[in-house]
Amino acid sequence: MPDYGHDLLFGAVLVPSAGHAGDAVTLARVADRAGLDLVSVPDHPYRPELLDAWMALAVIAASTTRVRVFPNVANLPLRPPAVLARTAAGLDLLSGGRVELGLGAGAYWDAIAADGGPRREPGEAVRATREAIDVIRALWSEGRRVSLPGEHYGLDGATAGPAPAHPIGIWVGAIGPRMLKLTGAVADGWLPSVPHVPPGRLAAGHRVVDEAAAAAGRDPFEVRRLYNLSPGRDGFPQGPLDAWPGQLAALTMEHGISAFLLPTHQSALLQAFAADVAPATRELVAAERKRAANSPGSADGWGAARRQVGTAGRRTDGWGAADGQDGVIDAPAAAPSGDPLTVRPTPPPKVWRSAERLWDESTRPVGPPADPERRYPRREQEPARNLVAAHDQLRADLDQLRTMVLEVLADALAPGDARSEIQRLSLRQNSWALGTYCASYCRITTLHHTREDEDLFPYLRRSDHRLGEVLDRLTEEHHVIHGLIEHIDRELVAFVREEGGAKEREALRAATDLLADALLSHLAYEERELIEPMARFGTGW
């Protein structure tokens, strides 16, 4: 399928949990500050554990300044289109033109019916959606009376308005052929999700949308293509963040996808998506569009551009199989001069939470200075990027752990539930005596945790014996941090045993503050000392 030439958008899917009501708003602020374009929330009105989607979107819009917000996707059977139209238009006016409308025909019909909504057959749901879109668009004019006949939704002399502040896009979450045809005929965008429409099925969906658009007298370009991502081993994109731009850019050039929505509850991942993935993807797409414009007759296509930019990523659906064995997109041979080292260590914390110090940071060993003339091809820098990415996951885990402890102290979360949740964090699962380095294919799994002390550290020690003192110190700190995590668990037990007395509350808070100081300091030190050696020597595997 062609590149439709749309500008690229990047955004988030945030879950407005009733049990953690402020989390989605906090993450939306992170997305807004980080420079993402879109923030969406799912709409499941029949699920009491979720806040109302439009209520959440209103607070998010009021708490941000630039991101556009939308339901992903609005549940039409439980939200009459006339109400949807006026709700979206009103929020668009209040937010200064920052609302779009994701729309779904409905699913989970038992739950919808239990809440008093209709139970519709597939064909009936398609017809109802078509009528709903007509009603919504008619009411987005202003000051006129509107009558529309309809089997499910109609208007009988309704007064239109208010008009939204800008032309709101209607993006349909379509899967089946009838909904895809509807999308091509009347919608402004197609919004599938990876679990329902994996990358290998996109081409077939685009064909239906494009043919329906042409049959309706529309240019297929008029229908923006969006995509709800689902990262992971069986999802898309795959691999570490460094591999994502190439995979997303390929979707743009091969399938016309121009908006990517990332579901996450981790602020660090949102920030990395905005700061690293989005600009790198835009750069790749811009370069390929320029190349294609300069040589429109080229048959080499996007595969050559992927080889040229050297984005690495393993595809499970067969894409790019011609670019390298097993579908691996080959990185380019480095120019003789190479590149400067662009991976930067994360600074240590500027403010200490705890009055206690576990070590004197000024006494930490320092490795040998880097050769100022040394250059590092992009591929050589990937292990260091993966190290920082793994550390970012641990920093996000730390934020989550601290939030849970604060909820325990505020009596908003049972200590037993907190202990259960902490056990699931990769921070807790990590055996700190074994390290934190994550290989490129398992960033958020625990398989990598044996690799630092057992594989990476010995390899670096053999590569440059001058790193010995640094590696010894890092191993020592791993043991200390492991002990701090165990200490928090013991304090939670004591908190329960003593029924949350003042002494136990203070001890739990102090243990958490001490872990935060030690962990953030350690991660910064490890990055400062290992980024350059890892780029110079690699990992040994």
Side-chain angles (χ1 to χ4, degrees), residues 356-390:
E356 184 179 352
R357 293 289 177 271
L358 294 174
W359 46 64
D360 182 354
E361 301 198 13
S362 65
T363 64
R364 278 173 166 158
V366 177
D371 179 358
E373 301 300 320
R374 179 73 157 81
R375 292 295 179 264
Y376 310 83
R378 179 178 178 84
R379 176 172 285 177
E380 291 184 6
Q381 298 188 44
E382 288 179 5
R385 288 193 184 93
N386 292 334
L387 176 73
V388 176

Side-chain angles (χ1 to χ4, degrees), residues 89-368:
L91 186 54
D92 197 52
L93 290 166
L94 290 170
S95 65
R98 294 192 288 124
V99 172
E100 309 295 345
L101 179 58
L103 189 63
Y108 308 105
W109 293 106
D110 288 344
I112 290 171
D115 268 22
R119 187 188 297 273
R120 291 174 176 150
E121 297 299 321
E124 186 183 11
V126 173
R127 294 192 299 273
T129 304
R130 174 62 184 262
E131 292 176 6
I133 291 174
D134 291 342
V135 166
I136 290 168
R137 289 219 173 99
L139 292 178
W140 279 344
S141 58
E142 193 146 34
R144 65 187 183 95
R145 291 195 174 275
V146 183
S147 294
L148 287 174
E151 175 188 359
H152 303 281
Y153 304 114
L155 298 174
D156 187 10
T159 302
H166 87 295
I168 294 176
I170 298 178
W171 300 336
V172 175
I175 300 175
R178 284 178 289 192
M179 281 297 294
L180 289 168
K181 290 178 182 178
L182 170 66
T183 301
V186 300
D188 301 302
W190 179 34
L191 177 56
S193 300
V194 168
H196 301 296
V197 185
R201 290 176 52 194
L202 283 173
H206 288 309
R207 278 195 296 273
V208 177
V209 171
D210 289 353
E211 289 169 1
R218 308 176 71 200
D219 188 329
F221 168 84
E222 296 178 39
V223 186
R224 180 185 278 277
R225 317 302 162 107
L226 308 95
Y227 208 23
N228 287 320
L229 303 175
S230 182
R233 182 187 299 269
D234 298 320
F236 184 89
Q238 297 183 344
L241 291 180
D242 279 0
W244 290 16
Q247 297 174 60
L248 300 185
L251 284 192
T252 299
M253 301 312 301
E254 297 172 3
H255 295 277
I257 301 295
S258 59
F260 302 96
L261 287 304
L262 176 68
T264 183
H265 61 275
Q266 300 171 3
S267 60
L269 183 55
L270 270 184
Q271 291 169 321
F273 191 59
D276 300 325
V277 176
T281 305
R282 288 188 172 108
E283 182 180 349
L284 295 178
V285 169
E288 173 57 14
R289 283 173 172 172
K290 181 178 180 180
R291 187 205 64 77
N294 292 336
S295 53
S298 171
D300 197 21
W302 171 240
R306 283 180 290 178
R307 289 192 294 273
Q308 179 181 352
V309 298
T311 53
R314 189 173 293 272
R315 304 276 174 79
T316 60
D317 53 14
W319 292 354
D323 298 333
Q325 188 176 7
D326 275 333
V328 178
I329 303 170
D330 297 330
S337 59
D339 304 312
L341 184 59
T342 58
V343 186
R344 296 287 182 264
T346 306
K350 295 181 179 179
V351 178
W352 301 104
R353 294 183 172 90
S354 174
E356 184 179 352
R357 293 289 177 271
L358 294 174
W359 46 64
D360 182 354
E361 301 198 13
S362 65
T363 64
R364 278 173 166 158
V366 177

Side-chain angles (χ1 to χ4, degrees), residues 72-85:
N72 193 347
V73 290
N75 187 289
L76 179 61
L78 289 177
R79 297 194 184 276
V83 177
L84 267 179

Side-chain angles (χ1 to χ4, degrees), residues 466-502:
R466 295 174 296 173
L467 292 170
E469 291 186 9
V470 169
L471 300 174
D472 290 342
R473 177 60 179 262
L474 289 171
T475 301
E476 176 187 333
E477 292 187 9
H478 290 169
H479 287 281
V480 172
I481 293 171
H482 174 72
L484 292 176
I485 298 171
E486 294 293 336
H487 181 52
I488 287 180
D489 192 67
R490 291 195 298 273
E491 292 299 339
L492 283 168
V493 173
F495 186 91
V496 173
R497 185 176 60 245
E498 302 299 330
E499 298 183 351

